[in-house]
Amino acid sequence: MKELAEKKFDIVKTCSTKANMSDKFKDDDLKQEVLKRIPDGEVSSYAQGDFEDLCRGPHVPNTKFLKFFKLTRVAGAYLGGDESREMLTRIYGTAYADKESLKEHIRIIEEAKKRDHRKLGVEMKLFTFDEEVGGGLPIWLPNGGRLRSKLEQLLYKAHRDRGYEPVRGPELLKADVWRRSGHYANYKENMYFTTIDETEYGIKPMNCVGHIKVYQSDIRSYRDLPLKFFEYGVVHRHEKSGVLHGLFRVREFAQDDSHIFCMPSQIKENILEILKFAGTIMENFGFHYEMEISTKPAKAIGGDEIWETATKALKEALDENGFKYGIDEGGGAFYGPKIDIKITDALKRKWQCGTIQVDFNLPERFDLGYIDANNERQRPVMLHRALLGSFERFIGILLEHTAGELPFFIAPTQVVIVPISDAHLDYAKEISRELRKINVDSEIASKNESLNKRIRTAEKQRVPMIVVLGDNEVANKSVALRDRQARTQSDMSLAEFINLTKEKLSEVHF
């Protein structure tokens, strides 16, 4: 690679038919395998010196631009993805325009390894996976359960403050309803199906149909709109084992899902309210974010006119309020265009979390209606909305963003109380009871271990505050506090410590 960079070969693109390319590379089994997976039509290849390979590109124009590179890893890959065929070696690498950028990229990769949420999940005893249970099915341990619960409770209150109503749809629905919604034709490969009493059922991959049924349970007036339903809906999606990755890619997950049914005239105001809500959440977790509008994909329901109307509504809502956004052509959901909210973490990686989708199609398919001011039946618009995306993915992102140093208000264990000896245990229990009264979770580290080991264990689990109790603390009703996040040690009265934890809890404003 160094020699090729120094030779400064031009990288030349050639376009031809699939048949010509097949004939050109007739003696190359790998290229023949690649060609099988390319649709008929124009095929491109790139050449540098005496080497040529199939690729859709684009490429840099000359090998001199590849001077600053690093090979990162090797992996095995079966020819054509078939386990019965020849094993090939795949070499991974990266290249940058200058040495400094490459060094920064390598630094981020190394830092990402330290922050890997799968590693942190074990150290902090948050979640685990078990092959006997199945791949992509996380098991939440008590610490992880407390973390999720705190996040759910904060969001529950925030939703209720904004006029959302909690609902719940079934996880198993007849296949006929998935046919009506369009999921069966457009999303079937991502779903699980079973047969009960000779009738086919599908496990829900999304919550929208259940919320439609909630809407249909009563006659709706224009005075009722917008109607906002939300649910921490558990969904299942079929993922191939090769793409499963910790909490980032799983087969079962829970969405902070909501559907807003409104009049067409209410689209903009509701989109702006959702964006404000999303911004508040991201700011509380220290994320910067940007937005992208995704348009009609190749596999979609509804005519072009409906899609254009929906996409225009999204653009107008953003344009009229000065929001900047990109365009992802063909990246929309099969039933409507969407705004994706993409956050940037501490390692400058972008993650797609929240989404807002405008849907004229499902209300039409399910014949939804409301009575307008003239006593005539009209069709509502359906806004699909998730802010975190899924609890699993968001928690994984948050763990890596913070390197496990979670904000005090959602830390699974916020305080570890370390009594130096059994003589201080009663006081430790008293402090724990006082903390429980203000919804602060604590643990008492009273195992028969050295003081230093108990403190190290709490630090390894990234507990924000460690309180050490000895004779002096018991006599004076005080605590010796180690504040992990502030990187300070201090002595204070028990009353002062309780007030400090209250202040920490009040720092979040959803």
Side-chain angles (χ1 to χ4, degrees):
M1 286 181 68
K2 286 179 179 176
E3 289 174 3
L4 287 169
E6 289 168 1
K7 287 180 179 178
K8 301 178 182 177
F9 285 128
D10 286 332
I11 299 178
V12 181
K13 181 179 181 180
T14 301
C15 293
S16 186
T17 63
K18 183 176 176 179
N20 286 343
M21 286 293 187
S22 181
D23 184 61
K24 185 176 187 177
F25 298 114
K26 62 185 177 184
D27 298 322
D28 191 316
D29 290 343
L30 178 58
K31 290 182 176 60
Q32 291 298 323
E33 200 62 45
V34 171
L35 282 163
K36 288 179 185 176
R37 288 159 171 72
I38 297 175
D40 291 335
E42 188 177 80
V43 178
S44 61
S45 66
Y46 286 82
Q48 55 191 44
D50 59 1
F51 176 77
E52 185 175 3
D53 201 4
L54 297 165
C55 194
R56 62 183 169 190
H59 286 250
V60 293
N62 191 288
T63 61
K64 68 183 179 182
F65 294 107
L66 304 173
K67 182 179 178 182
F68 301 104
F69 71 89
K70 182 176 176 63
L71 300 182
T72 54
R73 65 188 178 99
V74 295
Y78 292 106
L79 182 64
D82 185 343
E83 293 179 11
S84 66
R85 303 185 67 181
E86 179 186 354
M87 171 69 82
L88 308 175
T89 300
R90 180 176 287 156
I91 304 172
Y92 292 82
T94 186
Y96 277 80
D98 57 76
K99 193 173 184 179
E100 290 70 28
S101 297
L102 178 60
K103 282 177 66 177
E104 175 63 10
H105 176 73
I106 299 303
R107 183 195 72 77
I108 286 175
I109 288 176
E110 292 305 312
E111 183 64 25
K113 289 178 184 176
K114 297 176 191 174
R115 293 171 178 246
D116 190 319
H117 75 281
R118 295 167 296 181
K119 172 174 169 285
L120 293 173
V122 172
E123 291 177 0
M124 298 171 69
K125 298 182 179 179
L126 299 173
F127 57 86
T128 186
F129 291 89
D130 190 314
E131 282 305 311
E132 190 174 12
V133 171
L137 301 169
I139 299 166
W140 291 89
L141 308 178
N143 279 353
R146 290 202 297 271
L147 166 59
R148 281 188 64 139
S149 179
K150 288 174 183 179
L151 195 51
E152 289 172 2
Q153 288 171 38
L154 283 166
L155 283 171
Y156 184 91
K157 184 178 185 306
H159 279 88
R160 296 295 290 128
D161 288 345
R162 290 166 173 80
Y164 288 79
E165 295 290 346
V167 298
R168 193 182 189 286
E171 292 182 29
L172 191 66
L173 296 85
K174 285 184 177 180
D176 284 348
V177 80
W178 298 117
R179 290 187 178 91
R180 187 174 182 181
S181 68
H183 287 82
Y184 203 93
N186 294 278
Y187 206 74
K188 184 181 179 182
E189 65 275 11
N190 300 107
M191 295 177 63
Y192 297 104
F193 289 89
T194 188
T195 300
I196 303 171
D197 297 333
E198 300 182 355
T199 300
E200 189 178 27
Y201 283 76
I203 300 175
K204 68 175 178 179
M206 302 173 189
N207 301 293
C208 37
V209 172
H211 292 193
I212 285 171
K213 291 301 174 184
V214 174
Y215 184 90
Q216 288 180 320
S217 68
D218 205 346
I219 297 170
R220 308 297 180 179
S221 161
Y222 73 98
R223 292 187 179 91
D224 301 325
L225 305 182
L227 270 175
K228 304 174 183 179
F229 301 140
F230 82 103
E231 174 183 4
Y232 299 148
V234 176
V235 299
H236 294 77
R237 295 183 186 177
H238 182 263
E239 300 282 5
K240 293 182 179 178
S241 57
V243 302
L244 299 176
H245 181 79
L247 297 179
F248 290 158
R249 201 71 175 265
V250 290
R251 289 175 173 149
E252 178 194 89
F253 56 94
Q255 296 176 303
D256 62 322
D257 210 358
S258 172
H259 293 91
I260 300 172
F261 298 87
C262 64
M263 295 183 286
S265 61
Q266 296 171 321
I267 292 175
K268 288 180 193 175
E269 65 189 72
N270 280 281
I271 288 174
L272 294 173
E273 183 185 277
I274 294 167
L275 289 174
K276 187 177 179 181
F277 191 2
T280 299
I281 290 173
M282 297 311 162
E283 287 165 13
N284 273 282
F285 288 108
F287 286 118
H288 297 290
Y289 67 95
E290 58 190 44
M291 288 174 284
E292 190 171 74
I293 290 181
S294 300
T295 61
K296 185 178 183 180
K299 206 171 184 180
I301 59 175
D304 289 341
E305 185 178 344
I306 286 177
W307 276 83
E308 287 170 12
T309 301
T311 305
K312 184 181 177 183
L314 289 176
K315 289 180 178 178
E316 286 180 353
L318 297 182
D319 288 339
E320 290 178 16
N321 288 272
F323 288 111
K324 294 181 180 179
Y325 59 91
I327 298 290
D328 176 16
E329 294 291 352
F334 72 85
Y335 47 76
K338 59 179 179 170
I339 297 173
D340 284 331
I341 298 169
K342 298 190 175 183
I343 61 178
T344 302
D345 70 8
L347 297 182
K348 301 176 183 176
R349 300 171 300 182
K350 295 186 188 302
W351 303 90
Q352 194 267 307
C353 283
T355 185
I356 308 166
Q357 301 163 5
V358 179
D359 185 359
F360 290 88
N361 285 302
L362 289 183
E364 184 173 333
R365 283 183 168 236
F366 284 90
D367 192 27
L368 302 187
Y370 66 91
I371 306 303
D372 69 10
N374 298 318
N375 208 32
E376 294 180 353
R377 193 172 188 274
Q378 302 293 342
R379 185 84 69 211
V381 179
M382 187 175 179
L383 303 181
H384 305 248
R385 187 240 68 186
L387 301 178
L388 302 184
S390 80
F391 285 97
E392 284 76 7
R393 181 176 166 82
F394 184 79
I395 287 171
I397 294 168
L398 188 62
L399 285 170
E400 298 198 2
H401 176 62
T402 62
E405 306 286 348
L406 295 167
F408 185 86
F409 61 86
I410 61 163
T413 302
Q414 290 145 319
V415 179
V416 163
I417 305 165
V418 187
I420 293 175
S421 73
D422 287 347
H424 313 115
L425 188 55
D426 285 343
Y427 183 44
K429 291 178 179 177
E430 179 187 338
I431 293 173
S432 181
R433 286 193 296 269
E434 291 300 314
L435 291 172
R436 180 62 59 87
K437 289 176 185 177
I438 58 171
N439 293 320
V440 172
D441 280 306
S442 65
E443 290 180 5
I444 299 174
S446 58
K447 285 185 178 179
N448 188 23
E449 297 172 339
S450 70
L451 176 65
N452 286 338
K453 184 173 182 182
R454 285 180 282 159
I455 291 173
R456 282 198 306 272
T457 299
E459 288 178 337
K460 189 175 182 180
Q461 292 188 11
R462 278 90 171 164
V463 176
M465 291 183 177
I466 301 171
V467 167
V468 181
L469 306 178
D471 291 340
N472 185 59
E473 285 73 33
V474 172
N476 297 307
K477 287 285 184 179
S478 64
V479 299
L481 171 64
R482 298 180 180 215
D483 190 323
R484 179 179 174 85
Q485 294 175 342
R487 306 295 180 193
T488 60
Q489 295 186 33
S490 57
D491 297 314
M492 63 181 67
S493 70
L494 177 56
E496 288 172 330
F497 174 62
I498 296 297
N499 284 333
L500 176 63
T501 58
K502 285 180 180 178
E503 289 171 9
K504 290 280 189 183
L505 288 177
S506 66
E507 288 176 357
V508 59
H509 299 286
F510 277 13

